[in-house]
Amino acid sequence: MSDLERVGEMLNRNFPHDNRDLIAYAAGLFDGEGNINYAQYKCNKPNGKTYLKWNVAMEVAMTDLDCIKNFYDIVKVGSIHFKGIGKGSLGKVDQWRWRCSHQKALHLAKLFLPYSTVKRERLLKIINHYEFIKPKESLGKKFSFLKLKKN
């Protein structure tokens, strides 16, 4: 059994899906329209000390509510918010945004990984952040289908 199949087994415990076509559709929609925010930034405490904080989130923004609602019905996690246009936004259209973060983003990253092409490296960063303490090179060995870029 390959490592990727083991990741799939973990997913089946977390998300009871029997239709892989819907998962592939949601992963493809996310691959094309989605955004992954994986960043570390500094926060200041009231006592003056600075600490590092991680922001791990996945987001899809579209103008069609039905499409976002279908995506939400497939993944069954996250939330949908309305983002209206501001003053002086000529030619802009209201948006609907689906978003999830932290552990829910980890579960979706594992769910979407086998179907992802564009966002694969960012999804692996989320998985690595929560589940592996190993460097990026060991991920390349664990997931044989990866071709990671050397930095």
Side-chain angles (χ1 to χ4, degrees):
M1 176 183 290
S2 73
D3 292 326
L4 182 59
E5 290 171 5
R6 278 192 225 124
V7 170
E9 281 180 7
M10 289 188 288
L11 299 174
N12 291 337
R13 279 187 265 132
N14 296 328
F15 288 101
H17 281 290
D18 27 338
N19 193 343
R20 294 190 185 275
D21 292 341
L22 288 176
I23 298 168
Y25 165 76
L29 183 68
F30 182 79
D31 220 24
E33 297 292 328
N35 181 35
I36 296 175
N37 188 357
Y38 178 78
Q40 188 177 35
Y41 57 95
K42 294 180 181 179
C43 286
N44 296 323
K45 285 189 173 185
N47 64 5
K49 292 185 178 180
T50 302
Y51 66 99
L52 295 175
K53 185 175 179 180
W54 281 97
N55 185 9
V56 179
M58 297 170 71
E59 182 177 271
V60 175
M62 300 182 96
T63 59
D64 186 14
L65 176 60
D66 290 334
C67 193
I68 290 287
K69 180 73 171 91
N70 287 340
F71 182 82
Y72 175 80
D73 289 341
I74 293 169
V75 297
K76 295 181 177 35
V77 294
S79 58
I80 298 174
H81 299 283
F82 175 74
K83 171 123 170 61
I85 57 172
K87 289 184 178 179
S89 300
L90 282 168
K92 302 259 179 163
V93 182
D94 292 340
Q95 279 186 349
W96 292 94
R97 292 184 179 185
W98 167 88
R99 187 174 197 277
C100 77
S101 62
H102 304 298
Q103 291 292 325
K104 292 176 184 176
L106 168 66
H107 294 304
L108 280 182
K110 287 195 247 174
L111 192 65
F112 290 170
L113 185 65
Y115 306 104
S116 179
T117 55
V118 177
K119 306 248 183 329
R120 179 177 300 242
E121 201 167 321
R122 303 284 290 187
L123 292 173
L124 281 167
K125 283 184 180 182
I126 293 174
I127 295 170
N128 187 28
H129 177 78
Y130 285 106
E131 296 209 343
F132 304 107
I133 304 178
K134 302 172 185 172
K136 203 159 94 169
E137 290 78 28
S138 64
L139 274 179
K141 293 175 187 170
K142 184 167 180 68
F143 298 106
S144 59
F145 58 85
L146 285 179
K147 304 274 190 273
L148 294 175
K149 298 174 188 170
K150 301 277 183 182
N151 289 341

